[in-house]
Amino acid sequence: MTELLARRQTWSTVNCSIAAAFEVVGTRSAILFMREAFFGTRRFEDFVRRVGIGEPATARRLKELTEAGLLERVPYKEPGQRTRHEYGLTAKGVDFEPVILALLQWGDAWQADDAGPPLRATHQDCGAAVHVRVRCEAGHDVSPRDVHIEEGPGLITVAAQAGESEPYREEAERL
């Protein structure tokens, strides 16, 4: 990892997975809409009320999340009313749940006031607290210090510019 991080200046960021994720959910309102979808909010007017932004902004954000494939519009019709749409999580949206839970867990640990966290995530079957953990495919819990960054098949490299030969050498050596 030291060598790879030492040459970070040669990595192209055009296909960065983190940047791509933020293109979809990189706003406060997008995260709050996803939170609400996980909590069961389905209807437009409920998103407006629960997230606390105006109808035009809600319409834009729901359209963006739908176009990105995290939510889907599902038609419904109440007796005597026109057909309307509610929003449900797609498989891609459901896969975003660990991000929401990680933000909840971090906020509980670092941002909650003295009264404690306002919500608790628990396992429906046994009632135990749910925690987001980093685990390897072999099933080991992995601490942040034990995460090793390797070159992936999609890494694009570019030539370093003059004067940027190894600006991260000292930081990489500490890792």
Side-chain angles (χ1 to χ4, degrees):
M1 177 167 72
T2 301
E3 179 185 324
L4 183 63
L5 292 179
R7 46 187 186 89
R8 281 199 307 265
Q9 73 279 5
T10 66
W11 301 355
S12 170
T13 58
V14 298
N15 66 339
C16 173
S17 297
I18 295 169
F22 265 88
E23 285 295 318
V24 176
V25 293
T27 65
R28 179 181 188 274
S29 62
I31 295 291
L32 296 179
F33 278 101
M34 292 305 294
R35 174 199 69 191
E36 287 306 313
F38 284 113
F39 290 169
T41 302
R42 297 282 179 253
R43 298 194 175 169
F44 180 85
E45 57 276 358
D46 294 331
F47 280 108
V48 170
R49 184 176 49 78
R50 298 283 307 148
V51 175
I53 64 174
E55 289 183 7
T58 295
R60 273 192 312 276
R61 188 64 66 224
L62 287 172
K63 181 179 180 186
E64 290 169 358
L65 292 170
T66 300
E67 288 175 351
L70 282 92
L71 298 176
E72 62 182 345
R73 285 173 38 120
V74 180
Y76 73 94
K77 185 175 182 179
E78 293 182 355
Q81 299 290 320
R82 66 179 172 86
T83 299
R84 302 180 80 180
H85 291 87
E86 60 185 13
Y87 296 86
L89 291 165
T90 63
K92 184 177 179 179
V94 169
D95 278 353
F96 194 73
E97 183 177 21
V99 176
I100 296 296
L101 290 173
L103 288 169
L104 176 68
Q105 183 175 318
W106 184 87
D108 287 351
W110 296 100
Q111 300 300 117
D113 63 23
D114 292 337
L119 301 173
R120 287 185 21 169
T122 60
H123 183 206
Q124 182 174 319
D125 290 346
C126 73
V130 170
H131 299 283
V132 177
R133 294 193 172 171
V134 177
R135 298 185 73 129
C136 71
E137 287 182 357
H140 305 109
D141 285 349
V142 180
S143 75
R145 290 181 172 260
D146 292 331
V147 173
H148 178 77
I149 303 298
E150 295 180 353
E151 189 170 324
L155 181 66
I156 299 170
T157 57
V158 295
Q161 296 181 13
E164 289 186 342
S165 58
E166 293 185 310
Y168 303 105
R169 165 76 57 200
E170 184 177 308
E171 180 181 348
E173 287 174 354
R174 284 187 299 116
L175 299 171

